[in-house]
Amino acid sequence: MSSFSTEYSKLNPEQKLAVDTIEGPVLVVAGAGTGKTQVIALRIGNILKLTQVNPSNILCLTFTDSAALNMRSRLLSLIGPSANSVRINTFHAFCQSVIRSHPQYFFRFNLDSEPLDKIETIQIIRHLIDSLPSDSPLKTPNDPYYYQSALISAIESLKKENISPPLYQSLVSAEAKFLEIVKPFYDQLKSITAYPRNLDAIASIIDQILHLKELNSTYQTKISSLLKDLTSAKDLKSTLTGFYENITAQYPRHLALSQIFPGYQNELLARHRFDFDDMILSVIDALKNNPPLLSSYQEKFQYILVDEFQDTSASQNEIITLLCTGLDSPNIFVVGDDDQSIFRFQGASVENVFNFHQTYKTSPIVLRNNYRSHRLILDSTDSLITRNVNRIAKQIKGIDKSLIATRVYDPDPINLYRADSQI
């Protein structure tokens, strides 16, 4: 491990702390250009150096195939051929390996099953749209397939959020219940027109809504959050009535989707097809319902590392959670940066970073030394990203994510270019 020793000696104090903390849950917040890939690779090398664990007992989960290849290459240069025995997978590749290794738990993935392609996805969705009544909110008179792309995207998002057809149907039922029980209070609010003397009346209505026994806790939390910083009667009324009206407008489409979603899954089953999100959901289901299967993977992978943690979806994060279930202090190491979440449109959940901190009560290790950009670039990006009110730095006390430039300063100004198209 001469290469390992050489590269280890180049680490800054925060990087060394991340590499040396090999036991228990560890959260690393790694800003752009702070050397996170090198830290992960060196930490794997350090685990092999300081423990008796075999390389095959280490699992490293990445987000893309290119990231997995890059990690493998980096690890080979650091520790040599033993790097080939370390399991480095994307989430989908890992789930695929679980299914192939234990077919007895995955009856829907038989020898005839094949991945679903985009053309067949469209065919299935169009078939399901055709089966809807003519007055369905998911059909339009001039273009019956107007909502085709939206439906495909919605189903993908539901799966990434680990929401099954039965669960989604229960959520839609809860939505209907909310509209039913809050309707009388909505009517009372709409009848109030004089301000500000009716502030007490509006506050009383809101209080009654929040204390309804039948009110789902999710809606209670949403309403409380929406109204938290509002003080004027007009703002309170317009915000709450607007919230109710928005749900009222969305409900018919949600109800129709709750019928499309199970039909879509049944059609996949009939055609012996699956999509990549199905693989993750099936593995989640198998791990939850088959303790021997879960135990076998918990015993096999004694150290788990997750790269680009901010880009994991809820379903991908559930895989990690299950692998750590029942362990007092699991050896789970996650690296992420909420400022770099680029796959939110694909279901990524930056809340996973904060939830990890909340679950394991561990102080994040923050990598701040940037080895990629000079000060002017970092100052400019920081002036933009600090406007994000949901940053981890604003949710976890004591975190300073401001990056420190290690490159020579370049005085040339940053130029903005506005293109006419995406090309």
Side-chain angles (χ1 to χ4, degrees):
M1 286 196 177
S2 58
S3 178
F4 170 86
S5 300
T6 301
E7 294 302 317
Y8 178 84
S9 66
K10 298 177 183 178
L11 297 176
N12 63 48
E14 290 76 25
Q15 290 174 326
K16 281 187 177 179
L17 178 60
V19 169
D20 291 340
T21 310
I22 62 174
E23 301 296 330
V26 180
L27 169 61
V28 176
V29 178
T34 56
K36 67 176 181 62
T37 303
Q38 185 76 337
V39 164
I40 295 173
L42 285 169
R43 188 176 189 270
I44 293 173
N46 210 27
I47 291 170
L48 296 174
K49 178 182 177 182
L50 300 178
T51 72
Q52 300 298 314
V53 70
N54 292 320
S56 60
N57 297 131
I58 299 174
L59 172 64
C60 180
L61 293 169
T62 66
F63 201 76
T64 63
D65 290 325
S66 60
L69 288 172
N70 183 29
M71 183 64 67
R72 178 80 65 193
S73 176
R74 189 77 62 97
L75 200 56
L76 280 167
S77 68
L78 290 172
I79 65 175
S82 60
N84 288 317
S85 298
V86 176
R87 179 74 74 86
I88 303 176
N89 283 151
T90 63
F91 281 91
H92 290 113
F94 172 72
C95 289
Q96 191 173 33
S97 72
V98 174
I99 293 170
R100 286 177 174 174
S101 299
H102 305 276
Q104 67 272 27
Y105 296 110
F106 304 93
F107 296 109
R108 69 163 298 181
F109 294 96
N110 53 42
L111 295 176
D112 298 328
S113 295
E114 294 181 2
L116 188 70
D117 61 37
K118 290 184 178 180
I119 293 177
E120 199 165 11
T121 299
I122 292 172
Q123 290 174 344
I124 293 173
I125 289 296
R126 288 194 170 193
H127 170 71
L128 292 170
I129 291 174
D130 289 340
S131 67
L132 294 172
S134 58
D135 61 348
S136 170
L138 294 180
K139 277 187 174 180
T140 56
N142 297 327
D143 182 3
Y145 304 122
Y146 178 81
Y147 287 107
Q148 169 187 297
S149 296
L151 282 169
I152 293 172
S153 178
I155 290 173
E156 289 177 350
S157 296
L158 288 170
K159 291 184 178 184
K160 284 181 170 64
E161 291 300 318
N162 195 19
I163 297 176
S164 64
L167 176 56
Y168 184 65
Q169 289 174 327
S170 71
L171 293 174
V172 174
S173 295
E175 195 172 57
K177 184 67 175 178
F178 169 81
L179 293 175
E180 176 190 347
I181 64 175
V182 175
K183 180 64 163 63
F185 300 99
Y186 167 79
D187 291 338
Q188 290 180 47
L189 283 171
K190 290 293 286 185
S191 67
I192 297 176
T193 57
Y195 306 104
R197 63 176 181 271
N198 281 320
L199 176 60
D200 289 342
I202 292 173
S204 175
I205 293 172
I206 292 171
D207 186 65
Q208 290 178 66
I209 293 173
L210 291 175
H211 287 86
L212 286 170
K213 291 182 179 180
E214 307 96 326
L215 184 65
N216 186 291
S217 60
T218 299
Y219 290 104
Q220 188 178 50
T221 301
K222 285 182 179 179
I223 292 172
S224 297
S225 178
L226 281 172
L227 305 180
K228 180 175 60 175
D229 298 321
L230 303 180
T231 55
S232 76
K234 190 172 184 178
D235 288 343
L236 287 166
K237 174 192 169 182
S238 63
T239 299
L240 187 53
T241 56
F243 177 69
Y244 183 89
E245 290 163 1
N246 185 51
I247 294 177
T248 301
Q250 292 179 350
Y251 174 71
R253 289 193 292 273
H254 291 171
L255 180 61
L257 177 58
S258 72
Q259 299 161 351
I260 288 278
F261 191 12
Y264 177 82
Q265 290 301 100
N266 290 336
E267 190 66 24
L268 292 190
L269 192 61
R271 296 185 182 211
H272 300 289
R273 295 291 185 267
F274 64 88
D275 58 30
F276 290 112
D277 293 315
D278 284 328
M279 288 197 301
I280 291 180
L281 295 177
S282 294
V283 170
I284 289 172
D285 186 63
L287 293 176
K288 280 183 175 179
N289 297 312
N290 300 281
L293 179 65
L294 177 58
S295 296
S296 68
Y297 277 93
Q298 289 180 327
E299 291 173 8
K300 179 175 178 60
F301 297 117
Q302 298 173 32
Y303 290 87
I304 301 173
L305 303 92
V306 185
D307 190 15
E308 303 291 3
F309 188 56
Q310 78 281 351
D311 282 326
T312 54
S313 65
S315 58
Q316 290 168 336
N317 188 54
E318 181 71 6
I319 295 288
I320 301 166
T321 300
L322 286 167
L323 291 174
C324 297
T325 297
L327 306 176
D328 293 334
S329 185
N331 295 323
I332 174 69
F333 178 92
V334 301
V335 181
D337 180 21
D338 54 307
D339 292 340
Q340 297 183 70
S341 181
I342 61 173
F343 291 104
R344 184 66 180 181
F345 67 97
Q346 290 185 350
S349 183
V350 294
E351 292 85 358
N352 290 338
V353 178
F354 180 71
N355 291 339
F356 185 96
H357 166 73
Q358 290 289 88
T359 299
Y360 295 110
K361 310 299 180 185
T362 180
S363 298
I365 299 172
V366 184
L367 307 185
R368 297 177 56 206
N369 285 6
N370 179 283
Y371 299 95
R372 185 185 301 162
S373 307
H374 58 76
R375 184 72 261 161
L376 181 59
I377 292 288
L378 299 183
D379 286 344
S380 300
T381 55
D382 188 64
S383 68
L384 292 175
I385 201 66
T386 51
R387 298 174 186 269
N388 182 0
V389 297
N390 295 318
R391 294 183 81 206
I392 291 297
K394 295 181 179 180
Q395 298 180 40
I396 303 176
K397 292 182 179 180
I399 285 189
D400 181 2
K401 292 182 59 182
S402 56
L403 297 176
I404 302 170
T406 59
R407 296 189 62 180
V408 176
Y409 176 71
D410 184 349
D412 289 342
I414 297 174
N415 296 310
L416 299 179
Y417 174 73
R418 184 174 180 176
D420 293 330
S421 69
Q422 296 180 3
I423 301 176

